[in-house]
Amino acid sequence: MAELPMSTHLFARLLSRVHAVCAALIEEGALPAGIDLSRVVVEPPKDASHGDMATNAAMVLAKDAKAKPRDLADKIADKLRAEELIDQVAIAGPGFINLTLKPAVWAEALRAVLDAGAGYGRSTVGGGEKVNVEYVSANPTGPMHVGHCRGAVFGDALANLLDTAGYDVTREYYINDAGAQVDVLARSAFLRYREALGETIGEIPEGLYPGDYLKPVGEALKAEHGAALKDMPEAQWLPTVRATAIAMMMEAIKGDLAALNITHEVFFSERSLIEGGRNRVAETIEFLRAKGDVYQGRLPPPKGAPVEDYEDREQTLFRATAYGDDVDRPLLKSDGSYTYFASDIAYHKVKFDAGFANMVDVWGADHGGYIKRMQAAIQAVTAGKGALDVKIVQLVRLLRNGEPVKMSKRAGDFVTLREVVDEVGSDAVRFMMLFRKNDAVLDFDLAKVIEQSKDNPVFYVQYGHARGHSIFRNAREVVPDLPEDSKARAAMLRQAPLERLNDPAELELLKRLALYPRIVEAAAQAHEPHRIAFYLNELASEFHALWTHGRDLPHLRFIINNDAEITRARLAMVQGVVSVLASGLAILGVTAPDEMR
């Protein structure tokens, strides 16, 4: 059998064969010319007993072909039976086509893993399309808390995933440095400045930020300005104090993110939209007005629940209802300043004008009601050419042995990201923050995420990688020339008699490895990095189970002292597992240790 090309994973190759069969049916007149094949997929069947792969080709093409799905399935199946990769073809239900592949396919699929090495799973499905992923974007008013942590990890893993799938990714942080909250920050910092000068400030007044984290800002202001700011009117000192406080908060936030190995290419200042000689918010409003999407009018009173920002007056409104929103939205407040929404529209127009038609925003749980209006605005400012996918990241409940964790004195009223990372490590935080879909509430138990047991997914997956390397170390008694270097080891092991991997558990593991590139592509297209975490846990579980199986049945052990050839074949399988675990963990931003300590 011909080897699978390195650049084409097994599912993509089978899909290309299904497309080729459809092309033949077009030539025969069984399918109409120009029929859309983009809805045709090849995927694992829901029930593994139905075969190795399934295609929906007959189901999605039957209507355009003016044929019954079952009849069309018969024609497609007849041609697929002649394909060299396929052992059996069966039609199920109304017209699904189930495929069982020849056993030799899985040996060649393993060779594809070994040949690609660290590149296995990388894809060109993104086609180099530019994608802007904006995540974290926490207000620069204090340390990052555990809620920010989940959005930070999700956004970073999503950016890694999109990059792996062939997109041109930019990681961006939007600094909210123009709203009322940064003036509150400045007043809070000014209080700490007075404290640094020796004043007794007493209890922090209601409405100001109470945490001790602003004390260093006060000391920095004292060091730079002495007592010069103390007797100035607020209008004079506030811009200076605000700039220092924001700069120091952003440095602290970048430090918190670095503890999680998160970096951004772009930090975009909200204030820059209206400063520096150009008012992009005003420009955007006029751009929309010229299109007829901004008008002067009155909003009706809200029905039922109050509409955010409602004021009973004539005002400047965005015609959001023309783009699917429930109500038109104000762009100016009664004092003439811009609403947050106006700034957000301008900011996203800046991104679109920079070449990002594909935008992803990662928002917190309390922003769900903002999605519709923002997507309406994107349609308006991009003339329908831009797309915004908003991923809502739900709350994190922080526990220790099932009990809620107390708040941080330093932060004032929340647990900081740095406290969590310092206690359990970046790997545990990143993996477990991704081990649940982003829109589901997450219980994060500080005790459970560092347990060394199969009930702790991050340990179990990392242990799978370490176990693989332990097997390599032990195998040198049987295969003394086994290279230390991963590339050299893979190049040697691809020559092993992989067809001897014929135990059902071994074949299942090979099938799991072959699935990985398709998981990467599907997860990237759905913007769902949790799929990678789930896959890695399943792969590690199958690998550990096979190792345990060998303890009970000696002939299935990875290392057979009197059979170097089957040992090499099984070491090739272990190399495949190690490569895929390392690749998936890299997407999640988690280390792949060679041994557990």
Side-chain angles (χ1 to χ4, degrees), residues 371-416:
I371 296 175
K372 239 183 179 181
R373 75 188 72 177
M374 204 62 240
Q375 290 181 331
I378 293 295
Q379 290 302 300
V381 295
T382 70
K385 295 175 184 175
L388 171 66
D389 183 21
V390 177
K391 308 303 288 188
I392 293 293
V393 176
Q394 270 296 344
L395 301 172
V396 177
R397 288 192 292 245
L398 198 62
L399 310 170
R400 190 190 306 280
N401 291 315
E403 296 296 322
V405 173
K406 292 180 179 178
M407 301 306 178
S408 163
K409 179 179 184 296
R410 177 175 175 269
D413 60 355
F414 53 80
V415 178
T416 67

mmCIF file of all heavy atoms in Angstrom, residues 371-416:
data_model
loop_
_atom_site.group_PDB
_atom_site.id
_atom_site.type_symbol
_atom_site.label_atom_id
_atom_site.label_comp_id
_atom_site.label_asym_id
_atom_site.label_seq_id
_atom_site.Cartn_x
_atom_site.Cartn_y
_atom_site.Cartn_z
ATOM 1 N N ILE A 371 -23.482 41.258 23.330
ATOM 2 C CA ILE A 371 -23.033 40.609 22.088
ATOM 3 C C ILE A 371 -23.827 41.080 20.879
ATOM 4 O O ILE A 371 -23.256 41.434 19.839
ATOM 5 C CB ILE A 371 -23.121 39.075 22.220
ATOM 6 C CG1 ILE A 371 -22.161 38.578 23.297
ATOM 7 C CG2 ILE A 371 -22.799 38.400 20.886
ATOM 8 C CD1 ILE A 371 -22.270 37.089 23.583
ATOM 9 N N LYS A 372 -25.151 41.092 21.006
ATOM 10 C CA LYS A 372 -26.000 41.394 19.849
ATOM 11 C C LYS A 372 -25.689 42.769 19.269
ATOM 12 O O LYS A 372 -25.583 42.940 18.058
ATOM 13 C CB LYS A 372 -27.475 41.331 20.274
ATOM 14 C CG LYS A 372 -28.301 40.312 19.504
ATOM 15 C CD LYS A 372 -29.751 40.384 19.954
ATOM 16 C CE LYS A 372 -30.586 39.377 19.176
ATOM 17 N NZ LYS A 372 -32.001 39.436 19.585
ATOM 18 N N ARG A 373 -25.564 43.768 20.137
ATOM 19 C CA ARG A 373 -25.322 45.128 19.641
ATOM 20 C C ARG A 373 -23.941 45.246 18.987
ATOM 21 O O ARG A 373 -23.768 45.951 18.009
ATOM 22 C CB ARG A 373 -25.492 46.151 20.769
ATOM 23 C CG ARG A 373 -24.382 46.224 21.768
ATOM 24 C CD ARG A 373 -24.700 47.106 22.954
ATOM 25 N NE ARG A 373 -25.681 46.467 23.819
ATOM 26 C CZ ARG A 373 -26.099 46.974 24.957
ATOM 27 N NH1 ARG A 373 -25.625 48.146 25.376
ATOM 28 N NH2 ARG A 373 -26.972 46.337 25.705
ATOM 29 N N MET A 374 -22.955 44.498 19.561
ATOM 30 C CA MET A 374 -21.603 44.589 19.006
ATOM 31 C C MET A 374 -21.537 43.914 17.645
ATOM 32 O O MET A 374 -20.890 44.418 16.714
ATOM 33 C CB MET A 374 -20.617 43.934 19.984
ATOM 34 C CG MET A 374 -19.198 44.442 19.858
ATOM 35 S SD MET A 374 -19.047 46.199 20.201
ATOM 36 C CE MET A 374 -18.382 46.772 18.644
ATOM 37 N N GLN A 375 -22.221 42.800 17.509
ATOM 38 C CA GLN A 375 -22.239 42.126 16.206
ATOM 39 C C GLN A 375 -23.016 42.952 15.175
ATOM 40 O O GLN A 375 -22.651 42.965 13.992
ATOM 41 C CB GLN A 375 -22.806 40.713 16.354
ATOM 42 C CG GLN A 375 -21.842 39.794 17.099
ATOM 43 C CD GLN A 375 -22.342 38.380 17.263
ATOM 44 O OE1 GLN A 375 -23.545 38.141 17.334
ATOM 45 N NE2 GLN A 375 -21.429 37.421 17.330
ATOM 46 N N ALA A 376 -24.043 43.648 15.625
ATOM 47 C CA ALA A 376 -24.764 44.563 14.723
ATOM 48 C C ALA A 376 -23.830 45.673 14.243
ATOM 49 O O ALA A 376 -23.808 46.024 13.055
ATOM 50 C CB ALA A 376 -25.973 45.155 15.449
ATOM 51 N N ALA A 377 -23.035 46.216 15.175
ATOM 52 C CA ALA A 377 -22.104 47.291 14.822
ATOM 53 C C ALA A 377 -21.048 46.815 13.830
ATOM 54 O O ALA A 377 -20.691 47.537 12.892
ATOM 55 C CB ALA A 377 -21.434 47.834 16.086
ATOM 56 N N ILE A 378 -20.568 45.586 14.021
ATOM 57 C CA ILE A 378 -19.558 45.035 13.105
ATOM 58 C C ILE A 378 -20.138 44.944 11.696
ATOM 59 O O ILE A 378 -19.469 45.280 10.701
ATOM 60 C CB ILE A 378 -19.088 43.648 13.583
ATOM 61 C CG1 ILE A 378 -18.317 43.758 14.899
ATOM 62 C CG2 ILE A 378 -18.239 42.952 12.516
ATOM 63 C CD1 ILE A 378 -17.024 44.518 14.808
ATOM 64 N N GLN A 379 -21.382 44.484 11.585
ATOM 65 C CA GLN A 379 -22.014 44.398 10.267
ATOM 66 C C GLN A 379 -22.088 45.775 9.620
ATOM 67 O O GLN A 379 -21.851 45.935 8.424
ATOM 68 C CB GLN A 379 -23.423 43.789 10.395
ATOM 69 C CG GLN A 379 -23.419 42.314 10.751
ATOM 70 C CD GLN A 379 -22.649 41.477 9.745
ATOM 71 O OE1 GLN A 379 -22.975 41.438 8.564
ATOM 72 N NE2 GLN A 379 -21.588 40.826 10.204
ATOM 73 N N ALA A 380 -22.397 46.792 10.431
ATOM 74 C CA ALA A 380 -22.552 48.141 9.889
ATOM 75 C C ALA A 380 -21.217 48.739 9.447
ATOM 76 O O ALA A 380 -21.109 49.273 8.338
ATOM 77 C CB ALA A 380 -23.215 49.037 10.934
ATOM 78 N N VAL A 381 -20.196 48.660 10.299
ATOM 79 C CA VAL A 381 -18.941 49.354 9.969
ATOM 80 C C VAL A 381 -18.100 48.598 8.952
ATOM 81 O O VAL A 381 -17.171 49.159 8.372
ATOM 82 C CB VAL A 381 -18.083 49.642 11.230
ATOM 83 C CG1 VAL A 381 -18.788 50.609 12.153
ATOM 84 C CG2 VAL A 381 -17.685 48.369 11.948
ATOM 85 N N THR A 382 -18.413 47.312 8.708
ATOM 86 C CA THR A 382 -17.631 46.543 7.736
ATOM 87 C C THR A 382 -18.437 46.224 6.484
ATOM 88 O O THR A 382 -17.965 45.469 5.626
ATOM 89 C CB THR A 382 -17.137 45.214 8.347
ATOM 90 O OG1 THR A 382 -18.246 44.330 8.545
ATOM 91 C CG2 THR A 382 -16.417 45.438 9.665
ATOM 92 N N ALA A 383 -19.650 46.782 6.370
ATOM 93 C CA ALA A 383 -20.536 46.496 5.233
ATOM 94 C C ALA A 383 -20.729 44.986 5.055
ATOM 95 O O ALA A 383 -20.777 44.471 3.945
ATOM 96 C CB ALA A 383 -19.980 47.122 3.953
ATOM 97 N N GLY A 384 -20.823 44.303 6.191
ATOM 98 C CA GLY A 384 -21.070 42.865 6.152
ATOM 99 C C GLY A 384 -19.853 42.023 5.827
ATOM 100 O O GLY A 384 -19.954 40.798 5.708
ATOM 101 N N LYS A 385 -18.679 42.665 5.703
ATOM 102 C CA LYS A 385 -17.472 41.908 5.324
ATOM 103 C C LYS A 385 -16.688 41.401 6.531
ATOM 104 O O LYS A 385 -15.775 40.586 6.379
ATOM 105 C CB LYS A 385 -16.565 42.794 4.463
ATOM 106 C CG LYS A 385 -17.190 43.181 3.125
ATOM 107 C CD LYS A 385 -16.299 44.160 2.379
ATOM 108 C CE LYS A 385 -16.961 44.619 1.078
ATOM 109 N NZ LYS A 385 -16.171 45.667 0.393
ATOM 110 N N GLY A 386 -17.017 41.894 7.709
ATOM 111 C CA GLY A 386 -16.314 41.472 8.917
ATOM 112 C C GLY A 386 -17.152 40.518 9.735
ATOM 113 O O GLY A 386 -18.387 40.504 9.639
ATOM 114 N N ALA A 387 -16.488 39.715 10.541
ATOM 115 C CA ALA A 387 -17.174 38.774 11.422
ATOM 116 C C ALA A 387 -16.565 38.865 12.812
ATOM 117 O O ALA A 387 -15.341 38.912 12.963
ATOM 118 C CB ALA A 387 -17.057 37.352 10.886
ATOM 119 N N LEU A 388 -17.439 38.917 13.815
ATOM 120 C CA LEU A 388 -16.995 38.938 15.210
ATOM 121 C C LEU A 388 -17.601 37.745 15.927
ATOM 122 O O LEU A 388 -18.822 37.600 15.982
ATOM 123 C CB LEU A 388 -17.437 40.232 15.904
ATOM 124 C CG LEU A 388 -17.231 40.281 17.431
ATOM 125 C CD1 LEU A 388 -15.745 40.276 17.770
ATOM 126 C CD2 LEU A 388 -17.913 41.508 18.040
ATOM 127 N N ASP A 389 -16.741 36.877 16.461
ATOM 128 C CA ASP A 389 -17.200 35.783 17.305
ATOM 129 C C ASP A 389 -16.850 36.134 18.739
ATOM 130 O O ASP A 389 -15.673 36.329 19.067
ATOM 131 C CB ASP A 389 -16.529 34.461 16.897
ATOM 132 C CG ASP A 389 -17.044 33.273 17.709
ATOM 133 O OD1 ASP A 389 -18.155 33.381 18.274
ATOM 134 O OD2 ASP A 389 -16.343 32.246 17.779
ATOM 135 N N VAL A 390 -17.862 36.245 19.579
ATOM 136 C CA VAL A 390 -17.647 36.564 20.985
ATOM 137 C C VAL A 390 -17.728 35.270 21.787
ATOM 138 O O VAL A 390 -18.727 34.561 21.739
ATOM 139 C CB VAL A 390 -18.691 37.568 21.508
ATOM 140 C CG1 VAL A 390 -18.482 37.816 22.999
ATOM 141 C CG2 VAL A 390 -18.606 38.881 20.738
ATOM 142 N N LYS A 391 -16.661 34.970 22.507
ATOM 143 C CA LYS A 391 -16.632 33.787 23.364
ATOM 144 C C LYS A 391 -16.788 34.248 24.808
ATOM 145 O O LYS A 391 -15.952 34.996 25.329
ATOM 146 C CB LYS A 391 -15.321 33.017 23.188
ATOM 147 C CG LYS A 391 -14.961 32.666 21.751
ATOM 148 C CD LYS A 391 -16.018 31.866 21.040
ATOM 149 C CE LYS A 391 -16.121 30.449 21.510
ATOM 150 N NZ LYS A 391 -17.052 29.664 20.645
ATOM 151 N N ILE A 392 -17.887 33.831 25.413
ATOM 152 C CA ILE A 392 -18.139 34.175 26.811
ATOM 153 C C ILE A 392 -17.462 33.139 27.706
ATOM 154 O O ILE A 392 -17.639 31.934 27.524
ATOM 155 C CB ILE A 392 -19.656 34.213 27.099
ATOM 156 C CG1 ILE A 392 -20.303 35.374 26.333
ATOM 157 C CG2 ILE A 392 -19.921 34.325 28.595
ATOM 158 C CD1 ILE A 392 -19.889 36.747 26.811
ATOM 159 N N VAL A 393 -16.702 33.617 28.667
ATOM 160 C CA VAL A 393 -16.026 32.736 29.612
ATOM 161 C C VAL A 393 -16.746 32.837 30.956
ATOM 162 O O VAL A 393 -16.831 33.924 31.539
ATOM 163 C CB VAL A 393 -14.543 33.122 29.752
ATOM 164 C CG1 VAL A 393 -13.866 32.274 30.814
ATOM 165 C CG2 VAL A 393 -13.826 32.946 28.426
ATOM 166 N N GLN A 394 -17.281 31.725 31.389
ATOM 167 C CA GLN A 394 -18.088 31.721 32.603
ATOM 168 C C GLN A 394 -17.234 31.804 33.867
ATOM 169 O O GLN A 394 -16.002 31.748 33.827
ATOM 170 C CB GLN A 394 -18.975 30.469 32.637
ATOM 171 C CG GLN A 394 -20.338 30.649 31.985
ATOM 172 C CD GLN A 394 -21.216 31.672 32.707
ATOM 173 O OE1 GLN A 394 -20.952 32.055 33.852
ATOM 174 N NE2 GLN A 394 -22.243 32.136 32.013
ATOM 175 N N LEU A 395 -17.914 31.909 34.986
ATOM 176 C CA LEU A 395 -17.261 32.141 36.272
ATOM 177 C C LEU A 395 -16.442 30.939 36.729
ATOM 178 O O LEU A 395 -16.683 29.810 36.318
ATOM 179 C CB LEU A 395 -18.323 32.457 37.338
ATOM 180 C CG LEU A 395 -19.207 33.682 37.057
ATOM 181 C CD1 LEU A 395 -20.322 33.748 38.083
ATOM 182 C CD2 LEU A 395 -18.372 34.951 37.092
ATOM 183 N N VAL A 396 -15.491 31.218 37.605
ATOM 184 C CA VAL A 396 -14.690 30.179 38.243
ATOM 185 C C VAL A 396 -15.007 30.194 39.734
ATOM 186 O O VAL A 396 -14.938 31.241 40.378
ATOM 187 C CB VAL A 396 -13.180 30.425 38.041
ATOM 188 C CG1 VAL A 396 -12.367 29.372 38.785
ATOM 189 C CG2 VAL A 396 -12.828 30.421 36.563
ATOM 190 N N ARG A 397 -15.381 29.019 40.254
ATOM 191 C CA ARG A 397 -15.554 28.881 41.704
ATOM 192 C C ARG A 397 -14.284 28.266 42.259
ATOM 193 O O ARG A 397 -13.941 27.131 41.938
ATOM 194 C CB ARG A 397 -16.763 27.992 42.015
ATOM 195 C CG ARG A 397 -18.097 28.647 41.721
ATOM 196 C CD ARG A 397 -19.252 27.856 42.324
ATOM 197 N NE ARG A 397 -19.427 26.575 41.653
ATOM 198 C CZ ARG A 397 -20.498 26.232 40.941
ATOM 199 N NH1 ARG A 397 -21.502 27.092 40.803
ATOM 200 N NH2 ARG A 397 -20.592 25.048 40.369
ATOM 201 N N LEU A 398 -13.578 29.029 43.077
ATOM 202 C CA LEU A 398 -12.299 28.570 43.613
ATOM 203 C C LEU A 398 -12.537 27.840 44.934
ATOM 204 O O LEU A 398 -13.141 28.381 45.870
ATOM 205 C CB LEU A 398 -11.372 29.768 43.822
ATOM 206 C CG LEU A 398 -9.892 29.460 43.971
ATOM 207 C CD1 LEU A 398 -9.341 28.811 42.705
ATOM 208 C CD2 LEU A 398 -9.115 30.733 44.271
ATOM 209 N N LEU A 399 -12.063 26.586 44.980
ATOM 210 C CA LEU A 399 -12.294 25.732 46.146
ATOM 211 C C LEU A 399 -10.966 25.164 46.649
ATOM 212 O O LEU A 399 -9.980 25.153 45.938
ATOM 213 C CB LEU A 399 -13.234 24.571 45.787
ATOM 214 C CG LEU A 399 -14.540 24.905 45.068
ATOM 215 C CD1 LEU A 399 -15.221 23.632 44.589
ATOM 216 C CD2 LEU A 399 -15.475 25.692 45.981
ATOM 217 N N ARG A 400 -11.008 24.694 47.887
ATOM 218 C CA ARG A 400 -9.910 23.894 48.433
ATOM 219 C C ARG A 400 -10.545 22.727 49.180
ATOM 220 O O ARG A 400 -11.236 22.935 50.171
ATOM 221 C CB ARG A 400 -9.011 24.717 49.361
ATOM 222 C CG ARG A 400 -7.718 23.976 49.755
ATOM 223 C CD ARG A 400 -6.968 24.724 50.855
ATOM 224 N NE ARG A 400 -6.709 26.100 50.521
ATOM 225 C CZ ARG A 400 -5.719 26.517 49.735
ATOM 226 N NH1 ARG A 400 -4.907 25.643 49.187
ATOM 227 N NH2 ARG A 400 -5.557 27.799 49.493
ATOM 228 N N ASN A 401 -10.349 21.517 48.652
ATOM 229 C CA ASN A 401 -11.009 20.336 49.207
ATOM 230 C C ASN A 401 -12.519 20.540 49.314
ATOM 231 O O ASN A 401 -13.154 20.176 50.314
ATOM 232 C CB ASN A 401 -10.423 19.979 50.576
ATOM 233 C CG ASN A 401 -9.000 19.478 50.467
ATOM 234 O OD1 ASN A 401 -8.683 18.655 49.606
ATOM 235 N ND2 ASN A 401 -8.118 19.994 51.322
ATOM 236 N N GLY A 402 -13.076 21.160 48.283
ATOM 237 C CA GLY A 402 -14.522 21.326 48.218
ATOM 238 C C GLY A 402 -15.065 22.536 48.931
ATOM 239 O O GLY A 402 -16.261 22.842 48.822
ATOM 240 N N GLU A 403 -14.226 23.285 49.651
ATOM 241 C CA GLU A 403 -14.683 24.459 50.405
ATOM 242 C C GLU A 403 -14.239 25.742 49.705
ATOM 243 O O GLU A 403 -13.118 25.816 49.196
ATOM 244 C CB GLU A 403 -14.113 24.442 51.830
ATOM 245 C CG GLU A 403 -14.592 23.273 52.685
ATOM 246 C CD GLU A 403 -16.088 23.320 52.933
ATOM 247 O OE1 GLU A 403 -16.622 24.435 53.121
ATOM 248 O OE2 GLU A 403 -16.731 22.257 52.906
ATOM 249 N N PRO A 404 -15.108 26.783 49.683
ATOM 250 C CA PRO A 404 -14.726 28.051 49.038
ATOM 251 C C PRO A 404 -13.470 28.648 49.658
ATOM 252 O O PRO A 404 -13.263 28.562 50.874
ATOM 253 C CB PRO A 404 -15.940 28.955 49.282
ATOM 254 C CG PRO A 404 -17.082 28.014 49.523
ATOM 255 C CD PRO A 404 -16.486 26.816 50.202
ATOM 256 N N VAL A 405 -12.628 29.247 48.807
ATOM 257 C CA VAL A 405 -11.367 29.852 49.257
ATOM 258 C C VAL A 405 -11.613 31.284 49.700
ATOM 259 O O VAL A 405 -12.370 32.029 49.063
ATOM 260 C CB VAL A 405 -10.320 29.806 48.124
ATOM 261 C CG1 VAL A 405 -9.064 30.578 48.501
ATOM 262 C CG2 VAL A 405 -9.981 28.363 47.803
ATOM 263 N N LYS A 406 -10.974 31.679 50.809
ATOM 264 C CA LYS A 406 -11.139 33.039 51.314
ATOM 265 C C LYS A 406 -10.447 34.053 50.412
ATOM 266 O O LYS A 406 -9.501 33.743 49.714
ATOM 267 C CB LYS A 406 -10.571 33.133 52.732
ATOM 268 C CG LYS A 406 -11.384 32.335 53.755
ATOM 269 C CD LYS A 406 -10.784 32.467 55.141
ATOM 270 C CE LYS A 406 -11.608 31.680 56.155
ATOM 271 N NZ LYS A 406 -11.015 31.759 57.520
ATOM 272 N N MET A 407 -10.922 35.290 50.489
ATOM 273 C CA MET A 407 -10.413 36.354 49.626
ATOM 274 C C MET A 407 -9.037 36.839 50.091
ATOM 275 O O MET A 407 -8.618 36.599 51.211
ATOM 276 C CB MET A 407 -11.396 37.535 49.600
ATOM 277 C CG MET A 407 -12.778 37.155 49.113
ATOM 278 S SD MET A 407 -12.763 36.336 47.515
ATOM 279 C CE MET A 407 -14.499 35.981 47.289
ATOM 280 N N SER A 408 -8.394 37.567 49.183
ATOM 281 C CA SER A 408 -7.040 38.047 49.424
ATOM 282 C C SER A 408 -7.051 39.404 50.118
ATOM 283 O O SER A 408 -7.738 40.325 49.695
ATOM 284 C CB SER A 408 -6.308 38.167 48.090
ATOM 285 O OG SER A 408 -5.181 38.971 48.218
ATOM 286 N N LYS A 409 -6.266 39.532 51.173
ATOM 287 C CA LYS A 409 -6.154 40.827 51.861
ATOM 288 C C LYS A 409 -5.485 41.867 50.967
ATOM 289 O O LYS A 409 -5.893 43.014 50.910
ATOM 290 C CB LYS A 409 -5.344 40.652 53.150
ATOM 291 C CG LYS A 409 -5.153 41.954 53.930
ATOM 292 C CD LYS A 409 -4.365 41.709 55.208
ATOM 293 C CE LYS A 409 -4.263 42.975 56.043
ATOM 294 N NZ LYS A 409 -3.524 44.044 55.393
ATOM 295 N N ARG A 410 -4.480 41.399 50.207
ATOM 296 C CA ARG A 410 -3.761 42.338 49.352
ATOM 297 C C ARG A 410 -4.671 42.941 48.301
ATOM 298 O O ARG A 410 -4.621 44.129 48.000
ATOM 299 C CB ARG A 410 -2.578 41.623 48.678
ATOM 300 C CG ARG A 410 -1.811 42.509 47.720
ATOM 301 C CD ARG A 410 -0.582 41.807 47.156
ATOM 302 N NE ARG A 410 0.044 42.648 46.151
ATOM 303 C CZ ARG A 410 -0.240 42.615 44.856
ATOM 304 N NH1 ARG A 410 -1.137 41.767 44.409
ATOM 305 N NH2 ARG A 410 0.366 43.416 44.005
ATOM 306 N N ALA A 411 -5.553 42.098 47.718
ATOM 307 C CA ALA A 411 -6.409 42.589 46.644
ATOM 308 C C ALA A 411 -7.636 43.306 47.181
ATOM 309 O O ALA A 411 -8.200 44.149 46.509
ATOM 310 C CB ALA A 411 -6.842 41.427 45.763
ATOM 311 N N GLY A 412 -8.046 42.967 48.384
ATOM 312 C CA GLY A 412 -9.218 43.632 48.953
ATOM 313 C C GLY A 412 -10.428 42.722 48.988
ATOM 314 O O GLY A 412 -10.948 42.415 50.043
ATOM 315 N N ASP A 413 -10.893 42.263 47.816
ATOM 316 C CA ASP A 413 -12.132 41.478 47.826
ATOM 317 C C ASP A 413 -12.129 40.334 46.822
ATOM 318 O O ASP A 413 -13.173 39.881 46.393
ATOM 319 C CB ASP A 413 -13.336 42.399 47.575
ATOM 320 C CG ASP A 413 -13.242 43.105 46.228
ATOM 321 O OD1 ASP A 413 -12.208 42.953 45.555
ATOM 322 O OD2 ASP A 413 -14.208 43.794 45.858
ATOM 323 N N PHE A 414 -10.960 39.873 46.419
ATOM 324 C CA PHE A 414 -10.928 38.737 45.489
ATOM 325 C C PHE A 414 -9.593 37.993 45.606
ATOM 326 O O PHE A 414 -8.637 38.482 46.197
ATOM 327 C CB PHE A 414 -11.146 39.195 44.040
ATOM 328 C CG PHE A 414 -10.238 40.292 43.570
ATOM 329 C CD1 PHE A 414 -8.940 40.016 43.154
ATOM 330 C CD2 PHE A 414 -10.680 41.611 43.550
ATOM 331 C CE1 PHE A 414 -8.102 41.023 42.716
ATOM 332 C CE2 PHE A 414 -9.845 42.627 43.108
ATOM 333 C CZ PHE A 414 -8.542 42.334 42.694
ATOM 334 N N VAL A 415 -9.557 36.791 45.054
ATOM 335 C CA VAL A 415 -8.336 35.986 45.028
ATOM 336 C C VAL A 415 -7.574 36.324 43.748
ATOM 337 O O VAL A 415 -8.135 36.298 42.656
ATOM 338 C CB VAL A 415 -8.677 34.488 45.054
ATOM 339 C CG1 VAL A 415 -7.399 33.651 44.978
ATOM 340 C CG2 VAL A 415 -9.461 34.146 46.317
ATOM 341 N N THR A 416 -6.296 36.626 43.891
ATOM 342 C CA THR A 416 -5.529 37.048 42.718
ATOM 343 C C THR A 416 -5.064 35.853 41.895
ATOM 344 O O THR A 416 -4.856 34.753 42.408
ATOM 345 C CB THR A 416 -4.295 37.883 43.119
ATOM 346 O OG1 THR A 416 -3.370 37.049 43.815
ATOM 347 C CG2 THR A 416 -4.687 39.064 43.976
#
